[in-house]
Every structure is written in C-alpha cells, then in structure tokens.
Amino acid sequence: MAEPHPFLAACRREKTPYTPVWLMRQAGRHMEEYRKLRAEYSFLDLCKRSDLAAEITVAPVQKLGVDAAILFADILLVLEPMGLGLEYSKDDGPVIRAQIRSRTDVEELNDFEPQTELSFVFETVRKARAALDGKVPLIGFAGAPFTLASYIVEGGGSRNYLKTKKLIYSDPGAWKALMERLATVIAKYLNAQIAAGAEAVQIFDSWAGCLSPADYQRYVLPYTRAAIAAITPGTPVIHFSTGTAGMLKLVREAGGDAIGVDWRVHLDEAWAAVGHDVGIQGNLDPAVLLAKPKEIRSRVEEILNRAGGRPGHIFNLGHGVFPETPVDNVTAMVKAVHELSAR
Ligand code: CP3
C-alpha cells in the first residue's frame, strides 16, 4: 500500500517523516503567477474560470514546495446564489449588497443547490486534482457560519461587528434562523467539494475572536458544530479561527480533526487546551515572513519545539500570507519546516 501523504497522515495524528506545511492564502497575491492573471481578469471571473482557478491552485505546490494545495475560490462565493449580491471592490474589499436585519430578510434568502449554482467550484476541484496527479492532497474550504453571517449583516468587513452583535442581542430568533441556514449551506457546499475530489476541508472562522466566550458558546458553537457534523465522514476537517485563545475549548467542542490557531497563543498551550486527541495547525505570525531567512528559520524552530514532535501538527501561518511577502521567504520557511522536523 502506498504511504499516506504526510498532510493527510498528520490530520489523522499519524506519525510522519517530517511536519507537513502549507500556507493559508498561499494561492493569492504574493504569487507572481496570480498577479499576472489578475491584471487581465477580475477576482470573481478568475474564480469562475475553472481552468485558470485550477492553475492558481496548483502553482504554489510547484513553486513553494508545500505539502497541500488549497482550492482557489472564496468563502463569500456562496452569498451570490443566496441572492445577496457580491462584489469585490478595489479599495474596500468585499461588498455585499443586501441588508439582513430581520427574520423576514432571512426567510427571503434563496435556497439553492451548490451542485448547479456553484458548479464552477467543483469543476476547479476536478481540474486541480487532475493537475496535482496525486503529488499532494487538495484542501477544500468554506467560511464558518459566524464569519459568513458577519459579512452578510455588516455588508462587508468590519472593525467592531456592531451590526452583527446588535442583531444577536436584539433579535436572537432572526440570528438563529440565519445561522441555521448558513450551517446547512456550508455543509452541502463542502460535501459537494468532497464529492468532486477535495481530500480534506478547512472551515474559516476568521472573525469569531470578536465575541466573548459566552456569546460564542451560545450564538456560534451550535451552528458550527451542526455544519461540521454534517460533513461527509472520513474526510479530515480543519477548524480554523483567530483571536480565540481564551475559548479554544469551546472551538474544539464545535468539532474538527485539527484546530487551526493564530500566533497570539503558544502552540503547546493551545494544543493542551484543545486536547491532544485532536491535531493542531499553526501558528507562525505571517509578519515573520517579512524578516530575513535566518530569523524565519529560528521562529520556525521555536514553533516546532513547542509541537515537540508529537504526531498531529500541521505547520501553517496563524492567518493568511500577506500580499507583500517575498516568495523566497516563503520557500525558506517551507524548507526550514522540512529540515528541522525531519525524523
Ligand atoms: O488560500 C488560498 O490562497 C485560496 C483562496 C482563498 C481566497 N480567500 C482567495 C482570495 C481563501 C482560502 C480565501 C478565504 C477567505 N476569504 C477568508 C478566510 C481567510 C482569512 O483571510 O481570514 C476571508 C475572510 C475571505 C473574504 C475575502 N476575500 C476578503 C476579506 C477579501 C479581500 C481582502 C483580501 O484579502 O484580498 C477577499 C478577496 C480574495 N480572496 C482575494 C483572493 C486571492 C484577493 C482578490 C484580489 O486579487 O483582489
């Protein structure tokens, strides 16, 4: 039998010859290949052109030497078929046209079949799998219910999430309806990615850290748990969030075979908090990749030391790679992880 790939083995907390590594947002603006295509096409057009999206998915594997590819797509793509109106503006990031303020607004959202309305994503999965040819596994992904809800309610990114929190506190029934709807959409969308060939999936709860642990427990955890519980069994799930060092036990309760953490917590402390019966992913500060290779190497070593060679560590950044990151620094990081963790 062929050796399982180190990334998938680590997701199952099996021993690996070295610690596998990939980078969140590796298929994006720090890559020259991406910037070239982006000069010609809008971001949404690139997502919808499955041939180009597959090319962008595969490029970092060849160039950076990472142990997994992540599908080129976006967490917000599901908002378009829900009838919310999605645009990516040059200066303000994503803009969502609809305003969700009540239960009626939630009830008016479109029910849709990802298989048909987002078929371009699954086409990308199939083409990327073919191009990867078994070299490294392909990770699919979706936003977590809270992070998606925050974009929907705020109409875009936010600093303090005041509209979202106001809805939670003033109309918990509407919030529940929205979160239930999103949990269903996310599970269906991920299962369709898995059916098309995604070998692991990551759920991004990028903004959960704006909440108190009590609010997370009450207004977020049940819905993330429902989404994760509905994912096709046998496919590893990585549950990522940022700013959640004070509530990692709750994050873990929501589910996931591995928990992704940011750099605001020591990796060993985070792992102890979630329990050693799940894997851990992280957690280099992405800003470290702006330093010199020697400094990067020593920061990599610190994190590997905290992981202590325990099976189940997937090396990653604590959040997405910055667009201004020199590619040579990324390859230095990947090389350092492989060399320093070789066993
Ligand atoms: O990891 C990868 O490289 C694969 C593709 C991927 C994108 N977005 C492509 C993208 C992934 C995994 C995402 C996830 C995503 N999208 C998250 C969660 C991760 C995180 O960073 O917290 C979030 C919150 C989004 C929503 C989103 N999409 C924002 C806020 C923005 C604008 C700001 C930004 O980072 O550019 C996007 C646009 C986006 N998504 C781009 C890319 C390559 C840039 C588009 C461009 O070229 O202008």
Side-chain angles (χ1 to χ4, degrees), residues 25-27 29 34 38 43 71 73-74 151 204 206 319:
R25 310 295 294 270
Q26 69 190 17
R29 284 166 303 185
Y34 175 73
R38 193 57 183 82
F43 172 63
L71 170 70
D74 196 71
Y151 278 103
F204 285 91
S206 303
H319 205 167

Side-chain angles (χ1 to χ4, degrees), residues 286-313:
V288 168
L289 293 184
L290 304 177
K292 295 208 167 64
K294 196 166 165 254
E295 181 68 21
I296 294 171
R297 194 175 173 93
S298 92
R299 301 302 188 104
V300 164
E301 189 164 29
E302 277 177 36
I303 290 171
L304 290 172
N305 286 343
R306 288 193 183 273
R310 193 189 286 274
H313 178 214

Side-chain angles (χ1 to χ4, degrees), residues 11-302:
C11 288
R12 296 188 214 103
R13 286 180 297 112
E14 290 162 8
K15 283 192 180 155
T16 54
Y18 55 85
T19 301
V21 52
W22 68 282
L23 289 83
M24 287 182 278
R25 310 295 294 270
Q26 69 190 17
R29 284 166 303 185
H30 75 114
M31 297 277 293
E32 194 191 322
E33 291 83 346
Y34 175 73
R35 290 195 303 266
K36 268 195 192 143
L37 283 170
R38 193 57 183 82
E40 259 187 81
Y41 299 89
S42 75
F43 172 63
L44 269 179
D45 284 345
L46 279 180
C47 291
K48 292 178 183 179
R49 278 281 307 262
S50 59
D51 53 336
L52 301 178
E55 214 178 280
I56 305 169
T57 302
V58 175
V61 175
Q62 291 152 346
K63 192 142 180 182
L64 310 175
V66 286
D67 297 293
I70 180 156
L71 170 70
F72 181 79
D74 196 71
I75 65 164
L76 303 178
L77 294 179
V78 294
L79 304 190
E80 222 175 24
M82 289 178 90
L84 288 159
L86 172 66
E87 267 172 62
Y88 291 86
S89 82
K90 200 168 176 311
D91 303 316
D92 304 322
V95 181
I96 292 97
R97 202 182 324 114
Q99 304 276 307
I100 297 288
R101 294 287 177 275
S102 68
R103 203 182 178 119
T104 319
D105 293 342
V106 177
E107 279 158 8
E108 281 169 5
L109 292 171
N110 293 338
D111 253 331
F112 74 100
E113 272 313 314
Q115 291 284 13
T116 47
E117 309 260 351
L118 293 170
S119 56
F120 56 91
V121 173
F122 315 117
E123 234 358 87
T124 303
V125 170
R126 283 187 280 270
K127 287 179 181 161
R129 274 297 300 273
L132 288 167
D133 195 27
K135 206 167 156 237
V136 300
L138 177 66
I139 306 170
F141 71 94
F146 175 76
T147 290
L148 286 182
S150 81
Y151 278 103
I152 293 173
V153 178
E154 302 290 334
S158 177
R159 180 178 282 269
N160 293 316
Y161 302 91
L162 292 182
K163 291 179 186 146
T164 309
K165 291 184 182 184
K166 189 175 166 198
L167 181 68
I168 292 176
Y169 303 141
S170 61
D171 194 346
W175 177 256
K176 182 172 191 280
L178 177 59
M179 292 292 275
E180 280 173 349
R181 182 71 79 93
L182 288 169
T184 307
V185 165
I186 290 158
K188 263 196 190 175
Y189 178 51
L190 287 174
N191 287 340
Q193 291 180 31
I194 292 166
E199 294 158 281
V201 293
Q202 174 156 318
I203 292 199
F204 285 91
D205 211 352
S206 303
W207 313 132
C210 75
L211 295 165
S212 70
D215 282 345
Y216 179 87
Q217 186 166 29
R218 196 155 163 196
Y219 297 112
V220 175
L221 193 159
Y223 310 102
T224 305
R225 179 159 52 203
I228 292 176
I231 294 171
T232 311
T235 306
V237 178
I238 303 170
H239 179 187
F240 166 77
S241 57
T242 77
T244 50
M247 48 187 178
L248 284 173
K249 275 194 166 61
L250 297 172
V251 171
R252 189 260 151 96
E253 253 182 63
D257 299 280
I259 306 296
V261 295
D262 71 16
W263 63 93
R264 297 170 183 92
V265 57
H266 286 311
L267 189 91
D268 50 336
E269 290 173 15
W271 209 346
V274 297
H276 293 119
D277 54 343
V278 286
I280 195 100
Q281 177 176 277
N283 70 342
L284 185 72
D285 182 342
V288 168
L289 293 184
L290 304 177
K292 295 208 167 64
K294 196 166 165 254
E295 181 68 21
I296 294 171
R297 194 175 173 93
S298 92
R299 301 302 188 104
V300 164
E301 189 164 29
E302 277 177 36

